[in-house]
Amino acid sequence: MDNQKLSPKGCILVTGGCGFIGSHTVVYLLNEGYDVVVVDDLSNASEKVLDRIDTIVGDDAAERLTFVRADVADKDALETVFDEFDIDAVIHFAGFKAVGESVTKPIEYYSNNIGNTLVLVDVMRDHGCKSILFSSSATVYGDPDALPLTEASPKKACTNPYGWTKWMIEEILRSLTIADPEWNVVLLRYFNPIGAHPSGLMGEDPKGIPNNLLPYVAQVAVGRRDAVHVFGNDYDTPDGTGVRDYIHVMDLASGHVAALDWMVGRTGCEVFNLGTGKGTSVLEIIRAFSAACGRELPYVIEPRRAGDVTANYADCAKAREMLGWEAKYDIADMCRDSWNWQSKNPNGYADSNEA
Ligand code: UFG
């Protein structure tokens, strides 16, 4: 194949496109008319998600999707992708993301997340593709001095290697724009992504015991686990439990497309928070999910979890003003869609019959 391109809109390489946020973003990109090349090694994702994407977008749009099973750190594989496709921009999701695991496997986390990014930007540069949108995290704000968090809030110490990889990759990408003014970098700092595709065909499918609140609550709702463990009820918040800015994964996906559209013809480095601006406590989440699934979900209060901050939520004015983007879904929508996905797929993608 020689410089494949079907769409006038452009061709986007999505690393980690089979993962939770990646797969929802791929759906948005295809629906917006982009060609999409997904590179994913399936180390923490299921290939079955590709069939679900096809079902959601339909046959015509699905023709604009190509899947390459490869590790982003595999330079030869990436070279082949860039030789075969005329990639206009990259959305870089691929990386290890379990906070707790990163504490016990720092070498793996630093080497995988930072190493694959360096290989990626090296290959991009060699092929003259210098537009990249990076999947960063509110974790780079550390323990905030003041809320809400704006993009000008200081980056502070992270409490785990996973967070530091996001922190450092931001700086690596920023350095590119200083060294070479042709680079066009957007850093998207996500708050807490939850929810699922409203069809119930795609959602979060963590391996093993979920680290994050929502997948855990959903697994309690579906009977896979007994009770939610609430990590601390003595925080300085209205009900004593931790407060986060939960954002629907569909909103997050549309935020990527808005950022991509905004990037056209620009250079430099820009940062955007992607959140809703609203803080919700753990107990409020449990209540909202109970309402969504129609039964009171049991919970037990546990000690605080090491490394957790009391509260964080975003100031979303910059994305609203510059990207024309804002979150549309509320907590009830997020819990409804998460429950829809979990109840239709109690074991995630594992039980589906597709090839
Ligand atoms: N929590 C529980 N019980 C659980 C899991 C979580 O009570 O079983 C609480 C936490 O203490 C916290 C809230 O629910 O107050 C949210 O916890 P999550 O683990 O869902 O999310 P975090 O805010 O800890 O972390 C998320 C992402 C990280 C990212 C970080 C950025 O998982 O990738 O936000 O702030 F780095």
Side-chain angles (χ1 to χ4, degrees):
M1 283 181 289
D2 228 7
N3 277 350
Q4 294 284 302
K5 195 179 218 174
L6 298 170
S7 156
K9 193 91 189 181
C11 182
I12 312 301
L13 168 61
V14 182
T15 75
C18 293
F20 176 44
I21 307 171
S23 57
H24 289 79
T25 302
V26 168
V27 164
Y28 255 92
L29 290 168
L30 293 170
N31 283 338
E32 286 292 313
Y34 286 97
D35 291 346
V36 178
V37 180
V38 166
V39 171
D40 197 307
D41 67 356
L42 303 178
S43 58
N44 191 27
S46 168
E47 196 169 2
K48 289 171 184 163
V49 78
L50 295 163
D51 299 305
R52 305 293 179 92
I53 292 174
D54 286 4
T55 305
I56 290 168
V57 301
D59 290 345
D60 288 351
E63 275 182 22
R64 286 184 278 102
L65 172 63
T66 305
F67 171 60
V68 178
R69 182 171 183 170
D71 183 342
V72 177
D74 179 346
K75 194 170 182 192
D76 292 341
L78 269 196
E79 295 277 5
T80 307
V81 168
F82 277 87
D83 285 342
E84 287 186 1
F85 295 90
D86 188 8
I87 306 287
D88 293 291
V90 176
I91 305 183
H92 181 34
F93 291 106
F96 293 161
K97 62 170 189 178
V99 172
E101 185 184 60
S102 78
V103 176
T104 56
K105 295 183 173 175
I107 298 174
E108 284 77 5
Y109 270 69
Y110 287 117
S111 118
N112 183 67
N113 291 8
I114 295 176
N116 79 12
T117 304
L118 290 172
V119 170
L120 174 65
V121 292
D122 191 16
V123 174
M124 287 176 69
R125 177 184 54 182
D126 286 351
H127 287 79
C129 174
K130 297 183 180 175
S131 295
I132 183 166
L133 208 154
F134 176 60
S135 170
S136 189
S137 166
T139 198
V140 303
Y141 293 119
D143 197 356
D145 298 323
L147 294 170
L149 288 156
T150 76
E151 291 81 353
S153 300
K155 284 174 76 168
K156 293 180 66 185
C158 296
T159 52
N160 56 77
Y162 157 80
W164 281 117
T165 67
K166 295 293 181 191
W167 203 109
M168 292 178 197
I169 293 167
E170 284 197 353
E171 297 312 310
I172 290 168
L173 296 178
R174 194 187 303 279
S175 304
L176 301 183
T177 64
I178 293 165
D180 174 355
E182 288 182 2
W183 276 95
N184 184 4
V185 171
V186 165
L187 310 172
L188 295 180
R189 293 181 181 155
Y190 313 150
F191 282 70
N192 289 52
I194 63 169
H197 193 272
S199 64
L201 288 167
M202 296 194 318
E204 193 169 8
D205 183 20
K207 293 203 168 106
I209 300 171
N211 301 300
N212 297 116
L213 179 62
L214 255 291
Y216 202 102
V217 170
Q219 291 190 7
V220 171
V222 86
R224 276 171 72 182
R225 311 208 177 265
D226 292 339
V228 183
H229 298 267
V230 176
F231 299 142
N233 67 348
D234 57 351
Y235 284 106
D236 183 17
T237 60
D239 65 17
T241 64
V243 166
R244 296 290 183 275
D245 184 342
Y246 296 94
I247 175 169
H248 199 298
V249 67
M250 295 294 286
D251 278 328
L252 211 49
S254 73
H256 288 74
V257 178
L260 205 55
D261 289 344
W262 177 85
M263 285 172 83
V264 174
R266 290 176 193 274
T267 56
C269 181
E270 205 65 66
V271 185
F272 295 100
N273 285 338
L274 293 184
T276 65
K278 295 190 189 69
T280 304
S281 75
V282 177
L283 293 182
E284 286 171 328
I285 288 285
I286 295 172
R287 271 198 293 279
F289 209 100
S290 298
C293 73
R295 97 182 156 87
E296 285 304 307
L297 296 177
Y299 64 87
V300 286
I301 306 292
E302 305 277 358
R304 292 181 180 196
R305 183 172 67 177
D308 274 349
V309 301
T310 300
N312 72 0
Y313 49 92
D315 181 315
C316 308
K318 187 173 173 189
R320 189 169 59 243
E321 284 157 20
M322 290 175 63
L323 307 180
W325 170 91
E326 65 184 337
K328 306 229 173 326
Y329 294 86
D330 65 17
I331 289 289
D333 300 326
M334 300 181 216
C335 292
R336 177 201 62 214
D337 291 339
S338 176
W339 171 239
N340 187 36
W341 152 253
Q342 192 71 66
S343 54
K344 286 179 175 159
N345 307 269
N347 297 309
Y349 292 108
D351 290 342
S352 83
N353 293 320
E354 296 104 332

